[in-house]
């Protein structure tokens, strides 16, 4: 018998109405997906009930899509070892990144049955000391923890608020098209979580050129989920209630306390991240080769000239 966390009422309603979940059929779907995964000679996947259910919900209970997404999840991780391998926290840089408050999952959803909010403040990244891969590595660990603990990211999803105020040239130069492409592939092809929107605030004049580059590597579906609010927080509040936000944006959340809590949680998961090293796909698997070629293919970035370093800064 499949054992799952009970869902709060608002998420249970969303799962049934939007994801086609039928609780009486959960045993069949989870067991069928597990049997398939265990029979794949190239695939070494986690097969616990809750983990597999994440991919079913992320695929709206299409078994074929869930199989594809589960396989993609591990193929992408094998293709990006700089982000998903050797994720230990012993190096001081990881504590600095986690405690900088540059990326925060806010504790409250936007509404009952609504998505979580991820606040990104790139100006808080110290790119003179950390690489973008270091930042993504910490982000990948936080996402893995959410996948283990929080059903909301699969059912209601999450939405980004990206504060571009006070962003430095050094930070922008690290967010090259290569980074955008990797992140887009992960969001579109592998993650079982639901992406609901991107809200940009405190936008700089350079953003128009930057957004042109981003649009060249994202799907039409994602383009429709981009919102630019400038410095008008009242417009942002129409999408994300003020009280959900940190104090710096008129809300109630304390970013420093939140960052400290996440650093502690990351350390609590040390054994989990060690165990993650055993999962993946075999190196000779043909689809892994194809994905590596996709990641290395710069042709999808026509017109971007390969780097944000070509941009002129005011």
């Amino acid at each position: 018998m499949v054992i799952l966390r009970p869902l709060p009422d608002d998420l249970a309603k969303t799962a049934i109405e939007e994801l086609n979940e039928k609780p009486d059929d959960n045993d069949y779907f989870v067991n069928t997906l597990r049997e398939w995964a265990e029979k794949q000679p190239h695939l070494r996947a986690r097969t616990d009930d809750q983990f597999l259910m994440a991919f079913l919900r992320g695929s709206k209970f299409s078994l074929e899509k869930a199989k594809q997404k589960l396989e993609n999840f591990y193929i992408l991780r094998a293709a990006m070892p700089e982000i998903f391998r050797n994720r230990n926290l012993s190096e001081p840089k990881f504590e600095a990144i986690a405690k900088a408050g540059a990326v925060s999952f806010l504790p409250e959803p936007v509404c009952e049955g609504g998505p979580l909010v991820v606040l990104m403040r790139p100006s808080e990244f110290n790119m003179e000391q950390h690489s973008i891969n270091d930042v993504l590595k910490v982000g990948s660990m936080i996402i893995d923890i959410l996948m283990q603990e929080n059903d909301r990211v699969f059912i209601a999803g999450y939405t980004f608020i990206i504060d571009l105020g006070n962003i430095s040239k050094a930070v922008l130069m690290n967010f090259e098209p290569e980074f955008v492409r990797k992140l887009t592939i992960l969001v579109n092809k592998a993650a079982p979580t639901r992406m609901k929107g991107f809200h940009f605030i405190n936008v700089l004049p350079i953003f128009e050129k930057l957004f042109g580059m981003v649009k060249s590597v994202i799907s039409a579906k994602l383009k429709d989920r981009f919102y630019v609010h400038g410095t008008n927080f009242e417009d942002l509040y129409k999408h994300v209630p003020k009280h959900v936000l940190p104090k710096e944006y008129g809300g109630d959340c304390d970013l420093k306390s939140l960052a400290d809590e996440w650093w502690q949680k990351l350390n609590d998961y040390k054994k989990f991240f060690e165990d993650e090293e055993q999962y993946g796909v075999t190196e000779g698997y043909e689809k892994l080769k194809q994905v590596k070629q996709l990641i290395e293919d710069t042709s999808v970035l026509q017109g971007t000239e390969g780097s944000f370093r070509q941009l002129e800064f005011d």
Side-chain angles (χ1 to χ4, degrees):
M1 180 178 177
V2 170
I3 299 176
L4 301 169
R5 284 187 295 264
L7 294 176
D9 291 344
D10 64 329
L11 291 185
K13 183 173 184 289
T14 301
I16 292 170
E17 294 179 352
E18 297 185 16
L19 304 184
N20 306 314
E21 182 165 345
K22 299 176 181 177
D24 290 344
D25 294 339
N26 282 345
D27 281 19
Y28 164 76
F29 279 99
V30 171
N31 287 328
T32 301
L33 183 58
R34 179 170 27 246
E35 290 170 8
W36 172 85
E38 290 173 344
K39 290 178 180 177
Q40 306 310 304
H42 63 279
L43 182 63
R44 303 183 306 278
R46 287 186 180 272
T47 56
D48 59 272
D49 296 344
Q50 201 70 55
F51 183 76
L52 295 177
M53 177 54 79
F55 287 86
L56 289 162
R57 286 170 172 156
S59 305
K60 296 186 177 180
F61 284 83
S62 163
L63 273 169
E64 290 309 307
K65 288 182 179 179
K67 292 173 185 178
Q68 184 178 50
K69 188 157 288 209
L70 179 61
E71 184 181 55
N72 286 347
F73 180 83
Y74 283 110
I75 290 175
L76 264 293
R77 290 186 168 218
M80 300 180 188
E82 68 276 14
I83 298 171
F84 293 105
R85 290 300 178 195
N86 302 314
R87 295 187 298 173
N88 67 71
L89 300 168
S90 59
E91 298 180 57
K93 63 183 178 182
F94 294 123
E95 181 176 5
I97 291 169
K99 288 189 173 183
V103 179
S104 304
F105 278 82
L106 306 186
E108 286 191 62
V110 301
C111 62
E112 183 175 324
L116 288 176
V117 179
V118 186
L119 173 65
M120 288 189 67
R121 299 189 298 163
S123 62
E124 302 302 312
F125 290 127
N126 187 341
M127 289 306 181
E128 294 179 357
Q129 297 182 17
H130 310 129
S131 73
I132 197 63
N133 285 340
D134 292 335
V135 173
L136 286 174
K137 184 171 285 193
V138 173
S140 77
M141 290 190 278
I142 291 174
I143 291 290
D144 279 0
I145 292 173
L146 285 171
M147 286 182 63
Q148 291 296 307
E149 295 187 355
N150 196 320
D151 295 311
R152 188 170 296 273
V153 293
F154 313 115
I155 298 173
Y158 56 96
T159 190
F160 276 104
I161 298 174
I162 303 172
D163 183 351
L164 294 178
N166 301 315
I167 192 171
S168 69
K169 182 177 179 179
V171 171
L172 270 179
M173 286 195 304
N174 274 273
F175 281 77
E176 296 185 346
E178 288 296 310
F179 158 77
V180 176
R181 180 171 53 201
K182 286 183 179 181
L183 192 60
T184 301
I185 293 170
L186 286 170
V187 170
N188 283 339
K189 300 296 184 182
T193 52
R194 302 181 73 192
M195 172 53 63
K196 305 300 286 188
F198 294 85
H199 298 266
F200 294 88
I201 59 175
N202 293 324
V203 174
L204 299 170
I206 194 66
F207 179 76
E208 291 302 324
K209 292 182 179 180
L210 175 61
F211 188 51
M213 290 184 178
V214 173
K215 286 196 296 185
S216 71
V217 294
I218 63 176
S219 67
K221 185 177 180 180
L222 278 179
K223 288 177 188 176
D224 292 338
R225 296 178 181 178
F226 274 64
Y227 304 87
V228 180
H229 304 291
T231 57
N232 182 3
F233 289 180
E234 292 301 323
D235 191 37
L236 173 66
Y237 297 154
K238 296 175 184 176
H239 302 269
V240 181
K242 182 189 293 188
H243 74 273
V244 171
L245 297 168
K247 297 173 182 176
E248 291 85 343
Y249 302 89
D252 301 328
C253 179
D254 185 336
L255 283 181
K256 186 181 184 309
S257 297
L258 190 62
D260 290 342
E261 289 172 12
W262 269 109
W263 175 242
Q264 181 58 54
K265 189 177 286 288
L266 283 163
N267 281 278
D268 292 343
Y269 270 76
K270 181 179 178 181
K271 179 63 165 58
F272 172 87
F273 294 123
E274 291 174 354
D275 292 344
E276 277 291 285
E277 295 292 319
Q278 67 186 287
Y279 300 110
V281 293
T282 55
E283 182 63 30
Y285 185 47
E286 188 61 32
K287 286 189 180 179
L288 175 56
K289 296 179 186 177
Q290 294 169 4
V291 169
K292 286 182 175 178
Q293 289 172 356
L294 174 63
I295 292 171
E296 294 167 1
D297 180 11
T298 58
S299 64
V300 297
L301 298 172
Q302 292 177 2
T304 67
E305 300 182 17
S307 172
F308 292 167
R309 291 181 174 86
Q310 265 71 43
L311 294 181
E312 295 178 1
F313 289 80
D314 297 329

